[in-house]
Amino acid sequence: MAAYDKSDLERRMNGAVESLKHDLGGLRTGRASTALLDPVTVEVYGAHMPLNQVATVSAPEPRLLSVQVWDKTNVGPTDKAIRSAGLGLNPIVDGQTLRLPIPDLTEERRKELAKLAGQYAEKARVAVRNVRRDGMDSLKVDEKKGVLSEDERKRHETEVQKLTDATIAELDAVASAKEKEILGK
């Protein structure tokens, strides 16, 4: 059986693009986004749980997030988790609701976020290159097994490289758009 599977390579490369989009969605650009609170985990009921499993998160205004905690005994741990998440947000407790005003970004913070977006993009590029390497290795294995001829291997390697180039170009476009959004250009 052939080790090379082009559809698997495409799926894995697209996964890297989606992962980058998800990571960049969590970067704050001065606008309220519920994705901003995705990395927050709350210690409740003796376990660490994602925030969305103990509360409803919404963005009622462009510069405000609202967290409606379902169980009032979890308000304190939720407040603590948001403060300690390193997001630069300070919740205002109002009963079972936590209001999170989104402060203006300073130029220094914008540059830090743009740098972080670049790091996320580079991590995704490395993931795509690793998928390419796996594809090339499987083609060589298939050729050694006699499943592919040398010409077929080279043709498939060209396809894998084109797929890699297209995916990296897509990653660069996504990262560039996010950096422009962060820097306000």
Side-chain angles (χ1 to χ4, degrees):
M1 183 173 151
Y4 172 70
D5 182 4
K6 184 179 177 184
S7 63
D8 182 54
L9 295 179
E10 289 174 343
R11 180 188 59 76
R12 289 171 60 196
M13 286 186 186
N14 288 336
V17 173
E18 292 306 313
S19 176
L20 175 64
K21 288 179 180 177
H22 182 268
D23 289 347
L24 292 178
L27 289 181
R28 192 162 62 108
T29 59
R31 286 192 303 264
S33 167
T34 58
L36 183 62
L37 298 176
D38 283 350
V40 176
T41 57
V42 183
E43 188 173 351
V44 292
Y45 310 121
H48 289 276
M49 302 175 88
L51 180 63
N52 63 4
Q53 291 185 7
V54 295
T56 303
V57 181
S58 62
E61 296 176 23
R63 302 188 52 77
L64 179 73
L65 286 174
S66 175
V67 179
Q68 179 68 40
V69 182
W70 300 326
D71 184 353
K72 63 179 147 188
T73 60
N74 295 337
V75 172
T78 302
D79 178 40
K80 181 181 174 188
I82 292 170
R83 288 180 193 276
S84 64
L87 300 172
L89 299 174
N90 293 312
I92 300 166
V93 179
D94 181 17
Q96 284 182 242
T97 303
L98 287 95
R99 293 187 184 7
L100 298 126
I102 308 295
D104 287 331
L105 293 175
T106 63
E107 188 63 27
E108 180 181 319
R109 181 68 177 142
R110 286 179 187 274
K111 288 178 181 176
E112 288 174 14
L113 289 173
K115 188 176 179 181
L116 186 59
Q119 291 172 354
Y120 287 162
E122 185 55 34
K123 186 174 81 171
R125 283 187 211 100
V126 168
V128 168
R129 289 186 203 112
N130 287 338
V131 172
R132 177 189 65 192
R133 185 195 62 228
D134 292 346
M136 297 294 192
D137 290 348
S138 64
L139 286 169
K140 290 174 186 169
V141 167
D142 286 350
E143 182 184 16
K144 285 183 183 175
K145 287 182 182 176
V147 177
L148 289 176
S149 69
E150 184 180 353
D151 289 343
E152 288 175 313
R153 177 185 56 82
K154 288 183 179 179
R155 182 173 52 80
H156 287 306
E157 283 179 350
T158 303
E159 287 176 359
V160 170
Q161 187 59 48
K162 284 181 181 176
L163 179 62
T164 302
D165 292 343
T167 306
I168 287 181
E170 185 178 356
L171 290 172
D172 290 344
V174 169
S176 176
K178 186 63 174 188
E179 285 178 15
K180 285 180 182 173
E181 180 184 339
I182 289 170
L183 295 173
K185 294 180 180 176

